[in-house]
């Protein structure tokens, strides 16, 4: 391989990874709209291949509508729903599933091509295969989530399963961004150990907050206690309210007061850590890339906290809830890039030979990259 080819190949792989990350964010947004419009249970079967084609005839629509009319959600909440309204619900869920299939194709087809041409290092290749496995698991979790809402007496999916589905999507997004940031062609010096440790902790804290946000969404906890900074007059509600459900462990999922409180407290923690980290970075390494990235993370965290408060005070309108969910992905992306670059990147200057250790057909054939 000619030396000039390496930056181009690294750029192609990095662009592909960021495209995948953008598609995952889009899928999270469409999934949020699907949940907020109550559309997630409109398709009652999991058909990974044939489900790509929506109903095309009046008879097909009548069949799908009849299946939905047999669900608890229809019988309990949507009695009298017309076919035209059902089509709106159906297309939200169908679009979400179609986007998932597109993400799978955009992932696996270029992955095979890059692997075949020896454009992936062993570490990158193994990381991508891991993300592919997580993506397959995400599809299964999605169906398990939907199936939980089709059980007798259920009108929505189980909150814990919705939270797991959202968190898995966020983990895949973080993995894509981590790998993409590691494909930069220039060398990056590692941050100081203290700054590096906090930078690595931030994405984990964001993921924990996203999980708790999924519980809030799944249990509709944002529709209660629509005041701030107090929760209907109390900074911390009394213990008998927070742990009124038996057994007590179920309060963390089913008690909307405790679910919302946990989301609030973790938001305060994340905001405090991000702001302190930014101040520390600006004092310890003024004018550096580390300080700029840390400031960016803190700025996004402040914006997300403000949007979260506004969403709560407005009793969760659709547009605000979607914006809050998408901005959470932006915070995660920025925190992940910051964490990866804080570890440092070493790029050796080469005049001959391959720029990366081959991980593909050319390596298997013994020809080098």
């Amino acid at each position: 391989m000619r030396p000039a080819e390496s930056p181009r190949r690294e750029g192609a792989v990095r662009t592909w990874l960021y495209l995948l990350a953008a598609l995952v964010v889009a899928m999270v947004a469409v999934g949020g709209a699907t949940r907020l419009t109550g559309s997630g249970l409109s398709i009652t079967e999991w058909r990974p291949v044939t489900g790509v084609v929506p109903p095309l005839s009046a008879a097909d629509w009548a069949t799908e509508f009849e299946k939905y009319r047999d669900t608890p959600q229809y019988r309990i909440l949507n009695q009298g729903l017309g076919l035209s309204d059902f089509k709106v619900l159906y297309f939200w869920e169908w679009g979400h599933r179609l986007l998932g299939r597109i993400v799978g194709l955009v992932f696996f087809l270029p992955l095979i091509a890059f692997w075949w041409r020896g454009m992936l290092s062993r570490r990158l290749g193994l990381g991508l295969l891991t993300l592919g496995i997580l993506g397959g698991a995400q599809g299964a979790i999605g169906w398990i989530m939907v199936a939980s809402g089709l059980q007798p007496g259920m009108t929505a999916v189980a909150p814990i399963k919705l939270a797991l589905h959202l968190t898995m999507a966020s983990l895949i997004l973080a993995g894509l961004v981590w790998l993409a940031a590691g494909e930069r062609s220039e060398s990056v010096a590692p941050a100081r150990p203290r700054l590096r440790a906090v930078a690595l902790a931030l994405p984990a804290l964001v993921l924990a907050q996203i999980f708790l946000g999924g519980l809030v969404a799944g249990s509709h906890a944002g529709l209660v206690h629509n005041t701030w900074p107090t929760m209907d007059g109390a900074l911390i509600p009394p213990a008998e309210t927070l742990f009124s459900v038996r057994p007590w462990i179920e309060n963390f999922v089913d008690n909307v007061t405790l679910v919302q409180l946990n989301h609030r407290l973790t938001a305060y923690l994340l905001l405090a850590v991000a702001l302190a980290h930014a101040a520390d970075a600006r004092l310890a390494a003024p004018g550096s890339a580390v300080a700029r990235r840390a400031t960016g993370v803190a700025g996004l965290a402040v914006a997300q906290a403000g949007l979260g408060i506004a969403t709560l005070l407005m009793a969760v309108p659709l547009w605000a809830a979607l914006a809050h969910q998408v901005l959470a992905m932006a915070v995660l992306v920025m925190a992940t890039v910051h964490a990866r670059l804080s570890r440092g990147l070493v790029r050796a200057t080469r005049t001959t030979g391959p720029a990366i250790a081959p991980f593909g057909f050319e390596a298997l054939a013994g020809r080098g990259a």
Side-chain angles (χ1 to χ4, degrees), residues 51 53 55 67 69 71 170 184 194 197 258 321 324-325 329 331:
V53 180
K67 293 176 184 176
R69 285 160 59 95
T71 65
S170 303
R184 293 194 177 195
R194 181 182 68 253
L258 182 59
H324 189 51
Q325 187 163 308
M329 299 301 109
V331 177

Side-chain angles (χ1 to χ4, degrees), residues 14-136:
R14 188 168 66 250
T15 299
W16 166 59
L17 291 172
Y18 278 126
L19 172 62
L20 278 168
L23 286 173
V24 172
V25 173
M27 190 166 181
V28 168
V30 174
T34 300
R35 175 185 57 80
L36 290 164
T37 57
S39 305
L41 301 178
S42 57
I43 301 179
T44 60
E45 296 173 329
W46 189 30
R47 295 175 293 174
V49 178
T50 59
V52 72
V53 180
L56 299 177
S57 67
D60 291 339
W61 277 113
T63 299
E64 291 300 316
F65 191 27
E66 190 58 34
K67 293 176 184 176
Y68 177 66
R69 285 160 59 95
D70 194 40
T71 65
Q73 185 187 67
Y74 175 83
R75 292 195 298 267
I76 297 172
L77 291 182
N78 290 336
Q79 281 279 357
L81 182 78
L83 180 59
S84 59
D85 291 328
F86 168 71
K87 289 181 179 180
V88 175
L89 300 181
Y90 188 97
F91 273 118
W92 272 118
E93 175 64 10
W94 177 80
H96 183 54
R97 296 190 188 193
L98 178 64
L99 190 53
R101 294 178 174 97
I102 292 173
V103 171
L105 289 175
V106 175
F107 178 82
F108 281 106
L109 294 182
L111 174 63
I112 293 170
F114 288 143
W115 176 83
W116 184 265
R117 297 180 62 189
M119 295 172 63
L120 306 176
S121 67
R122 287 180 175 84
R123 178 176 297 180
L124 177 59
L126 291 174
L128 289 168
L129 289 176
T130 301
L131 289 180
I133 293 171
L134 291 179

Side-chain angles (χ1 to χ4, degrees), residues 279-293:
D280 188 18
R282 293 173 72 88
L283 290 173
S288 66
V290 173
R292 290 192 295 272
R293 292 195 308 268

Side-chain angles (χ1 to χ4, degrees), residues 156-175:
V157 300
I160 188 69
K161 293 175 182 176
L162 186 148
L164 288 173
H165 191 52
L166 176 61
T167 306
M168 179 66 82
S170 303
L171 182 61
I172 292 170
L173 173 63

Side-chain angles (χ1 to χ4, degrees), residues 138-355:
Q138 172 71 335
I141 292 172
W143 172 246
I144 292 171
M145 177 189 70
V146 171
S148 72
L150 299 175
Q151 300 302 311
M154 296 292 291
T155 60
V157 300
I160 188 69
K161 293 175 182 176
L162 186 148
L164 288 173
H165 191 52
L166 176 61
T167 306
M168 179 66 82
S170 303
L171 182 61
I172 292 170
L173 173 63
L176 289 168
V177 172
W178 180 277
L179 293 177
E183 287 298 296
R184 293 194 177 195
S185 57
E186 72 275 9
S187 295
V188 178
R192 296 183 181 185
R194 181 182 68 253
L195 296 177
R196 187 164 65 246
V198 178
L200 290 170
L202 278 170
L205 192 54
V206 175
L207 284 169
Q209 177 67 338
I210 288 172
F211 175 80
L212 293 173
L215 289 179
V216 169
S219 62
H220 304 289
L223 299 177
V224 299
H225 308 298
N226 298 107
T227 60
W228 188 85
T230 65
M231 298 178 69
D232 295 333
L235 285 174
I236 303 293
E240 56 268 23
T241 300
L242 294 175
F243 295 96
S244 60
V245 178
R246 295 291 183 271
W248 70 271
I249 192 66
E250 293 185 2
N251 286 281
F252 291 93
V253 175
D254 296 330
N255 186 326
V256 293
T257 299
L258 182 59
V259 167
Q260 189 187 121
L261 177 64
N262 288 338
H263 191 50
R264 289 190 185 206
L265 294 178
T266 307
Y268 299 151
L269 175 62
L270 173 59
L271 188 60
V273 171
L275 288 172
H277 177 60
D280 188 18
R282 293 173 72 88
L283 290 173
S288 66
V290 173
R292 290 192 295 272
R293 292 195 308 268
T295 302
V297 174
L300 286 174
V302 170
Q304 174 70 339
L307 181 56
I309 293 169
T311 302
L312 177 71
L313 295 178
M314 292 185 291
V316 198
L318 176 62
W319 68 267
L322 285 178
H324 189 51
Q325 187 163 308
V326 172
L327 189 53
M329 299 301 109
V331 177
L332 178 61
V333 167
M334 186 66 198
T336 302
V337 171
H338 178 46
R340 177 63 186 92
L341 296 182
S342 293
R343 295 184 66 217
L345 288 172
V346 178
R347 290 288 183 263
T349 302
R350 298 177 182 269
T351 57
T352 60

